[in-house]
Amino acid sequence: MKMQAFTVENIPLIKERDNIASIICERTSIEDNDIIVIASTIVSKAEGRMFRLEDITAGEDAKRIADKHGIDARFVQAVLDRSHEVLVEFPILLVETDNGHVCIKAGIDESNVDKGYMADLPTDPDQSAKNIGEGIEHQTGKKVSIIVTDTNGRSFKIGQTGIAIGVYKIHPIKNWKGQKDLFGNILEITEEAIADEIAGAANLLMGEGDGGYPVVILRGLEFRSEEGSIREMYRSKREDIIKKGLRCLSKV
Ligand code: GDP
Ligand code: MN
Ligand code: MN
C-alpha cells in the first residue's frame, strides 16, 4: 500500500480576507480524494482572527489566574473569553473552547503571527474547512476532503503533534467495530482517529517554525465521505471521565 504526502510550495504570508482555496488551487493540481491539510494559523489569519493585548481589559478571574502563572492578565482574559470551561487553571491553563476543543490557552498563538498580534483559533473550524473545501471543489471540479489542524500537546506524553480541529467531507473516526482481526476475532471497541493521524502525518512536513508550509496534501487514501464533523471525535459529557476527574481536582 502506498500514500503520498507533499507540501504546496510558495504560499505567501496570509492576510485577512485572502482566499485560501484560490491560493492552493493556483499553486498545485488537485485530484479526486485528495485530503488537503491546512494549518489553523493561516485560516485564522485569512478570517481576521488576530487581536492585540492592548485592546483587552482583564477582569478579576483573569488577574488571579495570571498571577499564578506570572503572565499577562490580558492574555488570560483573552483565553477566558474564548473558553466554555476552564478544566485546569494551574500549572497549565487547560480549557474547552466554545466549539468543544480541549487545549492549552484556548489555542491562542503568538508564533508565525505579526509582532504584537495574537491569533485565535478559527471560531468554527468545521465551517472554515467547508468554506475552503467548497471553494476548491468549485474551482477544480475535483472531490476533496479538508482537515484544519493545530499543534497540541497530549496528556500522558511529552511532545506536541498535529491534531485535527475541523473537517470537511471526512469522518474523523474510522470505526473498526464488527471487523475481524487476523485470527477471526471480531473487533469490539477499536475506533481509529484517522483525522488526527492524518494531521500528525501532515505536520511532519509543515514543521513548527519558519518553513512556510501551512498546506500539505495527502494522496492515495480513500476516506472521503459525504458527511463529517470534528464533533464526532469529542466524547460526550457523560463518557468523558478525564474531564470529570479534572473537575474534581479543581475543587480540592
Ligand atoms: P499551527 O500548527 O496551525 O499553529 O501553525 P504553525 O505556526 O505551527 O505553522 C505551521 C506551518 O505553517 C509552518 O511551516 C509555518 O512556517 C507555516 N506558516 C504559518 N503561517 C504562514 C503563512 O502565513 N504563510 C506561509 N507560507 N506559511 C505559514
Ligand atoms: Mn497553533
Ligand atoms: Mn504547528
Side-chain angles (χ1 to χ4, degrees):
M1 299 211 284
K2 189 158 126 186
M3 69 175 189
Q4 279 181 295
F6 55 92
T7 52
V8 176
E9 300 294 309
N10 301 316
I11 293 185
L13 282 175
I14 299 299
K15 306 178 303 301
E16 187 167 355
R17 285 190 288 274
D18 276 351
N19 185 325
I20 292 181
S22 304
I23 288 174
I24 293 171
C25 293
E26 285 158 9
R27 286 166 178 77
T28 192
S29 83
I30 302 289
E31 293 183 9
D32 277 330
N33 289 320
D34 279 355
I35 303 174
I36 303 168
V37 188
I38 305 172
S40 54
T41 301
I42 66 160
V43 178
S44 300
K45 288 178 186 168
E47 292 180 357
R49 304 289 303 157
M50 319 296 291
F51 65 94
R52 294 187 306 178
L53 290 188
E54 290 142 70
D55 302 327
I56 295 171
T57 313
E60 288 314 310
D61 273 347
K63 285 182 186 158
R64 182 177 53 74
I65 297 170
D67 270 353
K68 295 192 201 175
H69 289 263
I71 57 176
D72 195 316
R74 296 169 302 175
F75 177 79
V76 175
Q77 187 63 53
V79 173
L80 298 183
D81 289 344
R82 289 146 183 84
S83 301
H84 166 74
E85 181 177 3
V86 176
L87 293 165
V88 182
E89 273 185 18
F90 186 80
I92 53 168
L93 180 50
L94 183 73
V95 304
E96 182 177 318
T97 66
D98 289 329
N99 71 80
H101 174 49
V102 174
C103 57
I104 301 286
K105 296 175 182 163
I108 296 173
D109 233 332
E110 276 179 281
S111 54
N112 284 320
V113 172
D114 272 338
K115 249 196 160 37
Y117 283 85
M118 311 226 163
D120 272 334
L121 291 181
T123 344
D124 183 351
D126 274 348
Q127 184 64 47
S128 307
K130 181 168 190 268
N131 294 344
I132 299 170
E134 287 181 347
I136 291 175
E137 293 188 332
H138 180 73
Q139 291 179 46
T140 62
K142 304 289 181 187
K143 293 192 177 305
V144 301
S145 305
I146 306 285
I147 298 183
V148 176
T149 67
D150 195 17
T151 304
N152 259 36
R154 285 88 45 81
S155 304
F156 303 107
K157 287 177 164 175
I158 59 167
Q160 291 92 44
T161 170
I163 52 100
I165 63 165
V167 299
Y168 168 72
K169 301 261 177 191
I170 181 170
H171 288 297
I173 296 287
K174 176 175 172 177
N175 192 348
W176 288 85
K177 286 180 205 170
Q179 305 227 31
K180 291 197 186 94
D181 74 3
L182 284 173
F183 297 92
N185 303 306
I186 302 289
L187 298 170
E188 282 169 7
I189 52 174
T190 311
E191 294 178 301
E192 184 181 359
I194 57 168
D196 284 342
E197 292 179 319
I198 291 165
N203 205 76
L204 287 171
L205 299 184
M206 288 180 183
E208 302 294 344
D210 64 359
Y213 293 117
V215 182
V216 169
I217 296 179
L218 262 69
R219 185 166 290 165
L221 298 169
E222 301 225 339
F223 286 139
R224 192 172 184 282
S225 60
E226 279 311 313
E227 306 278 307
S229 162
I230 197 69
R231 291 190 173 274
E232 295 164 28
M233 294 195 101
Y234 297 146
R235 285 206 172 95
S236 68
K237 204 164 180 171
R238 194 176 52 81
E239 284 180 330
D240 201 323
I241 57 163
I242 307 290
K243 272 190 210 158
K244 282 184 193 163
L246 292 173
R247 282 187 200 110
C248 289
L249 275 178
S250 69
K251 290 195 186 89
V252 293

